[in-house]
Amino acid sequence: MEKNTYTRFLVTNAEAGSVIGKGGSTISDFQSQSGARIQLSRNHEFFPGTSDRIIMVSGTIDEILKAVDLILAKLLNEFYVEEGDDVDPRSKLRIVVPNSSCGGIIGKAGATIRSFIEESQAGIKISPQDNNYLGLSDRLVTLTGTLEEQMRAIELILMKLAEDPHYAQSFSAPFPYAAATYNAMNFVPNVAGGKFQSNKGDRSTSVTIGVADEHIGVVVGRGGRNLMEISQASGARIKISDRGDFMSGTSDRKVTITGSQRAIRMAEAMISQKVDSASER
């Protein structure tokens, strides 16, 4: 019995519509032709930091490859091919891979990814980890090439991932990001309508304060809720250093607040209020 595995990749909203087809006809057709299961994130559920939806294809490796081939061929046809174009169009495909499985694809000193590139002739790039999102543990692997090159690369990557026990465990819904909250970067209100900064008091500056490691939790809040509230209420951007990255000589994490003087003061006050209420308990 061949083990089941899965792959997830990104598509634009228009491409998602094309894969689903009228009344779901295309997606069910592709499922019955390939034997794989094809699921999509809902139309507002985007991969963090993008405005792209996620398609998840699961089944045996052969079933997945067949389904992905059907999907990509249709998308190439509709979105990439110019009329009367004979050359095989090259396109980009972004696959979602858990951080913990990226090492296996990269290999020792990059040996595995180099051999995959050579064997498939596709371009393969792994994005750096995006630290702007709390709770996001996935990276994007971008495959560039013709359909055939991409398919070969997907096959090599899937075979590799299927050997990785962690990969099987991270098998979840097509959209596991409900808890990944943005580090409050998007919540910067627009100062004075865009490019024109008003008087000097609004100029953006940065202040870094220390918050005891054990109090970071109350500042961030469940799923990033408090951080988001502070950021929205004050209009400041707030970034917290990684675990173990302390203000020098202390065990205080660095909290960097960026915004106008007023926004910074307000965010600082809200943070210290949260910390004080936690220390009193």
Side-chain angles (χ1 to χ4, degrees):
M1 170 69 195
E2 205 189 333
K3 284 208 306 263
N4 272 15
T5 184
Y6 67 101
T7 184
R8 297 205 316 252
F9 57 94
L10 304 192
V11 286
T12 62
N13 231 341
E15 291 172 341
S18 159
V19 172
I20 294 167
K22 214 172 177 172
S25 57
T26 308
I27 196 166
S28 56
D29 189 27
F30 284 179
Q31 289 190 104
S32 56
Q33 281 185 51
S34 63
R37 180 163 187 219
I38 304 171
Q39 294 162 279
L40 272 124
S41 67
R42 290 198 287 269
N43 57 11
H44 57 277
E45 293 178 330
F46 299 137
F47 184 79
T50 72
S51 51
D52 293 310
R53 285 164 71 179
I54 301 159
I55 287 193
M56 183 163 99
V57 183
S58 45
T60 64
I61 289 183
D62 285 344
E63 290 168 343
I64 293 173
L65 290 172
K66 193 155 183 196
V68 172
D69 194 26
L70 289 165
I71 293 169
L72 295 185
K74 181 170 204 278
L75 296 182
L76 268 179
N77 214 354
E78 287 175 27
F79 293 92
Y80 289 96
V81 176
E82 308 285 308
E83 287 307 311
D85 201 351
D86 293 337
V87 244
D88 278 346
R90 293 173 65 79
S91 64
K92 273 195 172 127
L93 175 70
R94 285 159 307 159
I95 300 180
V96 180
V97 176
N99 229 337
S100 55
S101 304
C102 284
I105 296 174
I106 295 168
K108 226 179 178 152
T112 310
I113 193 167
R114 273 203 306 275
S115 74
F116 285 1
I117 291 170
E118 237 160 83
E119 207 175 318
S120 65
Q121 293 294 300
I124 305 175
K125 271 208 175 80
I126 298 184
S127 69
Q129 197 186 349
D130 185 345
N131 292 320
N132 288 327
Y133 290 89
L134 305 168
L136 174 63
S137 55
D138 287 324
R139 293 207 239 173
L140 293 176
V141 178
T142 304
L143 309 180
T144 316
T146 62
L147 178 57
E148 206 171 310
E149 291 163 350
Q150 287 178 340
M151 286 310 302
R152 184 77 198 113
I154 292 171
E155 184 174 0
L156 292 165
I157 289 170
L158 264 182
M159 311 270 274
K160 190 78 200 163
L161 291 173
E163 299 164 9
D164 178 350
H166 292 292
Y167 187 68
Q169 282 157 19
S170 52
F171 180 73
S172 58
F175 191 74
Y177 304 111
T181 44
Y182 198 47
N183 253 356
M185 289 297 194
N186 322 14
F187 298 114
V188 188
N190 205 337
V191 183
K195 296 262 171 24
F196 305 101
Q197 294 283 352
S198 48
N199 59 35
K200 294 208 166 53
D202 273 348
R203 274 226 297 270
S204 193
T205 49
S206 254
V207 171
T208 300
I209 58 174
V211 172
D213 209 16
E214 68 268 24
H215 291 145
I216 283 293
V218 293
V219 174
V220 174
R222 206 169 160 185
R225 207 168 294 159
N226 295 355
L227 196 59
M228 218 146 76
E229 255 169 42
I230 296 171
S231 187
Q232 278 173 315
S234 65
R237 295 200 307 234
I238 303 166
K239 198 161 176 17
I240 295 176
S241 65
D242 295 333
R243 286 204 182 93
D245 180 4
F246 300 130
M247 301 280 276
S248 58
T250 68
S251 60
D252 286 354
R253 297 270 282 283
K254 298 176 200 155
V255 177
T256 306
I257 308 168
T258 310
S260 65
Q261 297 289 344
R262 204 175 119 249
I264 292 174
R265 278 201 302 272
M266 186 166 171
E268 271 188 273
M270 290 177 79
I271 289 171
S272 43
Q273 189 190 348
K274 291 243 184 287
V275 170
D276 293 345
S277 64
S279 355
E280 282 159 17
R281 268 188 239 149

